[in-house]
């Protein structure tokens, strides 16, 4: 009986090997044929980019007590006491007597969150205050008015703002900056301690909001800036949140913290993952852009072969 069982088991394993090899051969031929067609026509991802907080880190940009102050482009991080040396500048704290806030030419109607629309007094926002389309924006360039709302000897001062993002077609984005004061409103040192903005145009941001911890594994992608609450499946791409991870997959890794081959994130790796990946790839889903952060962009034939290589490697 033992010998007979051994023979049956060996035969079954041989069949599995042959079936696996046959499946691989069929899939490679199938994908190669379709990839050849798409290489000619091209495929572009159509998914909307995820909103995410873009954070400066602690920068401590000095605000001189001058009539120029400091000009800051929040997208590039370039800052200078001369506006021409900070092209595309978005915020400008200044003044020799208090804290003035000067506007760029656009967007019109004011840049800084204030106490009234088109007003001249900015608001010292409480952490968690929503800065967005419904906020009141004004010029807020009055140093005397502004200086009554901030805390001295403190960095508990948050200014909300909006700006035109030149890296995103000059669309309006929303952000915040934290300002520190010493013993007086114009007394040095004073500085822009840190700042942040939402990466997606038109999406509000909470005052003081920082990037999330953990990473979102979705389809064949990994994104370290998507909040857990927003880490949900889309199309055939499943999603899982790796709360203990601090960064996405290291170069060359397709397994941790995100298993790219488990495309639908259901019951581990299966043949269904291949067909789910293929369906999304042809639909132009950004989550089929293998090994990327899932943001919108052009899909490539190489995405298919990278996914197949990870799937046949197994693991996870």
């Amino acid at each position: 009986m033992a010998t007979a069982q051994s023979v049956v088991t060996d035969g079954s394993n041989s069949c599995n090997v042959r079936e696996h090899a046959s499946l691989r051969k069929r899939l490679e031929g199938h994908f190669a044929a379709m990839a050849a067609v798409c290489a000619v026509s091209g495929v572009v991802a159509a998914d909307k980019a995820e909103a995410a907080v873009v954070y400066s880190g602690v920068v401590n940009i000095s605000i001189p007590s001058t009539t120029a102050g400091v000009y800051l482009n929040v997208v590039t991080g370039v800052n200078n006491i001369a506006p021409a040396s900070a092209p595309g500048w978005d915020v400008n704290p200044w003044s020799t007597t208090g804290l003035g806030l000067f506007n760029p030419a656009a967007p019109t109607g004011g840049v800084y969150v204030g106490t009234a629309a088109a007003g001249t007094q900015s608001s010292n926002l409480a952490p968690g205050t929503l800065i967005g389309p419904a906020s009141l924006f004004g010029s807020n360039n009055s140093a005397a008015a502004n200086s009554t709302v901030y805390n001295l000897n403190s960095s508990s001062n948050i200014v909300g703002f909006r700006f035109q993002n030149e890296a995103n077609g000059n669309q309006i984005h929303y952000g915040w900056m934290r300002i520190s004061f010493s013993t007086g409103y114009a007394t040095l040192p004073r500085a822009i301690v840190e700042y942040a903005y939402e990466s997606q145009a038109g999406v509000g941001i909470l005052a003081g909001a920082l990037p999330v911890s953990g990473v979102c594994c979705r389809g064949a992608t990994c994104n370290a800036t998507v909040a857990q609450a927003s880490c949900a499946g889309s199309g055939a791409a499943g999603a899982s949140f790796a709360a203990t991870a601090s960064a996405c997959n290291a170069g060359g890794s397709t397994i941790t913290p995100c298993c790219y081959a488990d495309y639908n994130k259901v019951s581990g790796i299966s043949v269904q993952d291949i067909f789910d990946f293929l369906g999304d790839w042809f639909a132009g889903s950004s989550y089929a852009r293998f090994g990327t952060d899932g943001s919108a962009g052009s899909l490539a034939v190489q995405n298919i072969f990278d996914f197949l290589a990870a799937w046949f490697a197994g693991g996870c």
Side-chain angles (χ1 to χ4, degrees):
M1 290 292 289
T3 302
Q5 180 65 39
S6 177
V7 171
V8 171
T9 301
D10 290 344
S12 177
N13 287 341
S14 297
C15 288
N16 287 339
V17 171
R18 287 195 298 272
E19 288 175 359
H20 190 276
S22 177
L23 172 62
R24 176 173 184 150
K25 185 175 181 180
R26 293 199 308 272
L27 286 171
E28 287 180 337
H30 182 58
F31 282 118
M34 289 185 292
V37 174
C38 288
V40 176
S41 61
V43 178
V44 178
D47 286 2
K48 183 183 290 185
E50 294 288 345
V53 175
V54 179
Y55 176 53
S56 66
V58 176
V59 289
N60 285 323
I61 299 169
S62 178
I63 304 172
S65 293
T66 65
T67 54
V70 66
Y71 297 84
L72 168 66
N73 183 316
V74 300
V75 176
T76 64
V78 173
N79 62 88
N80 200 276
I81 60 173
S85 297
W89 65 271
D90 304 298
V91 295
N92 172 217
W94 67 286
S95 182
T96 59
T97 60
L99 180 73
L101 294 167
F102 189 64
N103 286 352
T108 58
V111 168
Y112 307 98
V113 175
T115 55
T120 58
Q121 181 175 314
S122 60
S123 296
N124 183 3
L125 301 177
T129 302
L130 179 63
I131 304 162
S135 299
L136 299 175
F137 293 93
S139 298
N140 295 317
N141 58 359
S142 170
N146 287 344
S147 296
T148 64
V149 300
Y150 297 112
N151 300 308
L152 295 177
N153 296 307
S154 175
S155 61
S156 298
N157 302 290
I158 299 179
V159 177
F161 60 86
R162 61 182 176 179
F163 68 98
Q164 283 190 341
N165 188 343
E166 68 272 23
N168 191 24
N170 284 330
Q171 295 188 80
I172 301 298
H173 289 240
Y174 298 93
W176 60 266
M177 60 180 171
R178 185 184 303 279
I179 295 179
S180 65
F181 293 97
S182 55
T183 56
Y185 293 113
T187 304
L188 297 180
R190 64 177 182 175
I192 300 173
V193 178
E194 57 186 353
Y195 60 90
Y197 66 90
E198 268 292 348
S199 65
Q200 188 171 323
V203 176
I205 185 173
L206 301 180
L210 299 174
V212 298
S213 59
V215 302
C216 179
C217 305
R218 183 154 38 190
T221 69
C222 177
N223 193 310
T225 64
V226 176
Q228 185 168 4
S230 301
C231 186
S234 176
S240 63
F241 192 80
T244 59
S246 59
C248 282
N249 299 38
S253 173
T254 63
I255 298 175
T256 56
C258 295
C259 180
Y260 297 146
D262 184 11
Y263 190 79
N264 57 29
K265 306 297 185 273
V266 176
S267 302
I269 299 175
S270 69
V271 174
Q272 188 60 45
D273 288 304
I274 295 179
F275 295 108
D276 286 341
F277 170 86
L278 178 63
D280 269 6
W281 191 85
F282 278 103
S285 171
S286 60
Y287 305 122
R289 293 179 65 221
F290 187 90
T292 68
D293 64 2
S295 58
S298 298
L299 290 162
V301 173
Q302 189 60 45
N303 298 142
I304 294 177
F305 295 110
D306 288 343
F307 179 82
L308 282 175
W311 190 92
F312 281 112
C316 302

